Amino acid sequence: MFEPRPKIKLLMLQKILLENTDPEHSLSGNDIIRLLGDYGINVERKSVYDDIDTLIQSGMDIVTERRGHANYYYVNSRTFQDEELMILVNTVASSKFLTKKKSDELISKLKTLTSKYQAQSLSRTIYVDGRSKSSNERIYYSINAIHEAIVKNRQVSFHYTEYDISLKKKYRRGGQLYTVSPIYLISDSDYYYLTAYNPQHDDISNFRVDRMADVSISEEQRLELSPEQLERAKEVRSMFGAFAREKTTVTLRMSSEPYVFGVLVDKYGSGLHPNRISEDKFTVRLEAQISPAFYTWLFSFGEDAEVLEPEWVRNEAKEKIEKMAAVYEG
């Protein structure tokens, strides 16, 4: 045993209270003395009382309960409530752009923000279905590099990957390095996308960040874009899904099945104005970027949704349906 410096003793007391107490679990003065002793810190009871008062004065929410002839202490509230931590843990666990290893690392860090008892509860309540996870371990560093490049007004270079028929990753364009001027980082449908000016195509392009490898910040300044190119980048940033055309007003005729209204509100909010046209049908006008993602969403309704206008969207939808039907012919 040794007599610790006051600051170290105070920090260890704070650590013990944060790790071992919550409104359901408290420690007596003797418990605290014993736990400090496990760290090689020898203290007197009065010293513990004084240090707890110091922590309370510093803003730590410590509750004192009198039980018989002894005081018991616990941390009542923290930066994050347990319900908030649950949301964060479940979000991290289910995120597609994070690898399983990185998800586990982040969840372990989040658990340190509550008591060990609540941390165990977090582990027991996590359930994630069999969704795919990213295999790119360096996505964290890629996101950070892209963000730094945007702040410093630099270009970024990277290799872009894709999968072949054997499900193995390979570099696109034969391993040729991409060098682009980053504009936005977009989070969409569990993935991160980079919106950038691609000089090879003289246009705005999107790249999935988890498919970018060897991301590095160039010494070259970002290329100056025209007002038209910047406007195009804004359109891409607000698109339906990651790849789309400009926004189009679409009129749909839909079934009055209860689930249909739920899906519409989830996607477009409660500001919609459905127009009932029969006992079991209604029409609704939506603003959408017409893209593969839009048609995937539309076709998920099956026969409960039909495009009425504009005609070119209706014809395009019909053509896609005919192509799908042709796959099953014969």
Side-chain angles (χ1 to χ4, degrees):
M1 297 286 186
F2 65 93
E3 187 64 32
R5 287 182 295 172
K7 291 182 180 178
I8 294 178
K9 181 179 63 172
L10 194 63
L11 288 173
M12 295 311 298
L13 173 59
Q14 182 185 52
K15 173 181 170 67
I16 287 170
L17 288 169
L18 288 172
E19 287 183 354
N20 295 276
T21 74
D22 56 44
E24 303 297 325
H25 304 86
S26 57
L27 294 174
S28 68
N30 287 336
D31 294 330
I32 293 172
I33 292 172
R34 175 179 54 79
L35 290 170
L36 285 170
D38 292 341
Y39 289 104
I41 300 174
N42 187 23
V43 296
E44 297 179 355
R45 188 184 301 274
K46 185 178 183 305
S47 174
V48 170
Y49 299 156
D50 291 343
D51 288 341
I52 288 176
D53 285 340
T54 299
L55 291 175
I56 292 173
Q57 291 173 26
S58 73
M60 197 169 171
D61 185 10
I62 301 173
V63 172
T64 303
E65 288 184 339
R66 188 72 177 177
R67 299 182 196 168
H69 299 290
N71 287 338
Y72 283 76
Y73 308 91
Y74 65 86
V75 176
N76 186 48
S77 64
R78 303 162 193 262
T79 302
F80 292 98
Q81 297 177 10
D82 290 330
E83 295 81 4
E84 295 170 332
L85 280 179
M86 178 62 67
I87 292 171
L88 292 174
V89 167
N90 286 334
T91 300
V92 169
S94 61
S95 175
K96 287 184 178 180
F97 85 89
L98 292 174
T99 64
K100 184 179 185 306
K101 178 182 177 182
K102 181 56 69 175
S103 290
D104 291 343
E105 290 175 359
L106 280 174
I107 290 170
S108 293
K109 292 176 181 179
L110 287 171
K111 288 179 182 178
T112 66
L113 300 177
T114 188
S115 71
K116 62 183 182 183
Y117 308 104
Q118 294 301 324
Q120 292 171 357
S121 177
L122 286 176
S123 297
R124 286 195 299 269
T125 54
I126 296 172
Y127 171 77
V128 181
D129 59 19
R131 68 184 61 194
S132 62
K133 299 280 284 181
S134 171
S135 60
N136 185 349
E137 287 284 352
R138 296 191 59 80
I139 188 169
Y140 254 30
Y141 306 102
S142 297
I143 291 172
N144 185 63
I146 293 167
H147 176 73
E148 185 177 346
I150 292 173
V151 171
K152 292 183 176 180
N153 198 36
R154 303 282 183 81
Q155 297 185 48
V156 292
S157 298
F158 55 91
H159 291 105
Y160 203 58
T161 64
E162 59 187 357
Y163 289 92
D164 60 21
I165 195 168
S166 61
L167 301 183
K168 292 182 179 179
K169 272 190 176 182
K170 65 177 184 178
Y171 287 145
R172 185 176 290 183
R173 288 171 33 185
Q176 183 178 345
L177 200 66
Y178 287 71
T179 300
V180 302
S181 294
I183 305 172
Y184 301 117
L185 265 175
I186 301 172
S187 175
D188 180 83
S189 300
D190 287 329
Y191 293 106
Y192 273 91
Y193 297 87
L194 167 64
T195 298
Y197 172 70
N198 186 351
Q200 184 185 23
H201 299 145
D202 188 25
D203 198 6
I204 305 300
S205 298
N206 276 328
F207 303 92
R208 273 255 304 263
V209 176
D210 61 306
R211 293 183 179 174
M212 297 166 63
D214 312 315
V215 179
S216 62
I217 303 173
S218 170
E219 292 298 321
E220 299 294 326
Q221 296 285 302
R222 284 192 292 177
L223 299 177
E224 188 171 344
L225 302 184
S226 67
E228 292 78 16
Q229 289 170 324
L230 289 173
E231 188 61 32
R232 167 67 178 148
K234 289 180 181 178
E235 293 171 0
V236 171
R237 182 181 62 179
S238 61
M239 61 177 52
F240 182 112
F243 303 95
R245 302 164 178 164
E246 296 181 0
K247 279 188 175 181
T248 301
T249 300
V250 180
T251 301
L252 303 180
R253 179 161 54 204
M254 308 190 77
S255 165
S256 297
E257 292 290 336
Y259 88 92
V260 172
F261 294 107
V263 174
L264 283 175
V265 171
D266 287 345
K267 189 67 182 177
Y268 289 96
S270 58
L272 298 170
H273 300 286
N275 177 37
R276 184 175 291 278
I277 56 176
S278 69
E279 185 68 25
D280 59 350
K281 295 286 184 181
F282 69 94
T283 60
V284 64
R285 291 165 61 86
L286 308 173
E287 291 289 320
Q289 284 87 6
I290 308 307
S291 68
F294 168 77
Y295 287 113
T296 298
W297 176 81
L298 175 69
F299 296 153
S300 70
F301 290 100
E303 60 184 10
D304 289 331
E306 174 191 359
V307 178
L308 297 181
E309 296 177 339
E311 186 175 356
W312 70 267
V313 177
R314 179 180 175 87
N315 290 338
E316 198 168 80
K318 181 180 178 182
E319 181 181 347
K320 290 181 180 295
I321 293 170
E322 289 173 346
K323 287 181 178 179
M324 286 189 289
V327 172
Y328 293 92
E329 287 182 357

